[in-house]
Amino acid sequence: MMPLAARETTSRRRFLAGTVAKRVAAFAALSAAPRPNVLFLGVDDWRDWVGCLGAFPGLKTPNLDRLASSGLLFTNAHCAAPVCNPSRTSLLTGQRPSTTGVYANSQWWKPALPDVVTLPRYFKQNGYYVAGGGKIFHHEPGFNDPGAWHDYYH
């Protein structure tokens, strides 16, 4: 370990100012760059039953394999709760079930989280075209985030 006198020291204020400056520069670079297209596929009980995950060598899912090879594939994904609605609420709000209070499939998340910005709403508020379909939030369309979609297909 280096003696204290030999180490470069900095004040908390200088450290924070440098950190903020780096974040601002990074944000400016990101906002100047073209935004990526985002495709979110939410599938219940899918497990590893697709060829690109390799669990079942004889499994043939060429279209999903091709899609996975051209994007980001999560190979170690977990859910926040072993029940559909709390897990989906957690994923789409960024809050765990112990924070949302949503523990059952029968609970609508909106009364417990009236001001939360959901994932589709965030994308919509930031200039993305947002379309959805099926059971993104639990019990479609009843548990959907009102106003978060440009188009929603039932």
Side-chain angles (χ1 to χ4, degrees):
M1 187 163 170
M2 233 186 254
L4 185 57
R7 280 189 248 158
E8 184 178 325
T9 59
T10 186
S11 70
R12 183 180 301 162
R13 182 175 291 154
R14 188 171 170 192
F15 171 77
L16 290 174
T19 302
V20 168
K22 288 176 188 172
R23 298 274 183 198
V24 168
F27 180 74
L30 283 175
S31 62
R35 293 185 317 199
N37 289 325
V38 178
L39 174 63
F40 173 83
L41 297 176
V43 182
D44 270 357
D45 303 325
W46 197 353
R47 295 190 11 145
D48 53 359
W49 298 333
V50 289
C52 58
L53 292 177
F56 299 94
L59 196 63
K60 303 222 183 300
T61 55
N63 294 331
L64 290 171
D65 297 345
R66 192 169 35 259
L67 179 63
S69 71
S70 68
L72 179 63
L73 176 66
F74 293 93
T75 59
N76 190 15
H78 302 272
C79 64
V83 182
C84 180
N85 188 36
S87 185
R88 287 171 182 267
T89 298
S90 179
L91 174 70
L92 295 166
T93 65
Q95 298 180 23
R96 61 182 178 262
S98 62
T99 302
T100 65
V102 176
Y103 293 106
N105 283 337
S106 60
Q107 291 175 269
W108 188 32
W109 60 269
K110 191 69 173 170
L113 307 163
D115 299 321
V116 75
V117 176
T118 62
L119 188 60
R121 184 174 293 272
Y122 177 83
F123 276 98
K124 186 176 180 185
Q125 288 174 345
N126 285 279
Y128 280 86
Y129 168 75
V130 182
K135 191 179 152 188
I136 302 298
F137 287 88
H138 191 65
H139 290 306
E140 109 28 61
F143 282 14
N144 261 330
D145 181 5
W149 312 93
H150 289 98
D151 291 303
Y152 194 84
Y153 305 95
H154 301 281

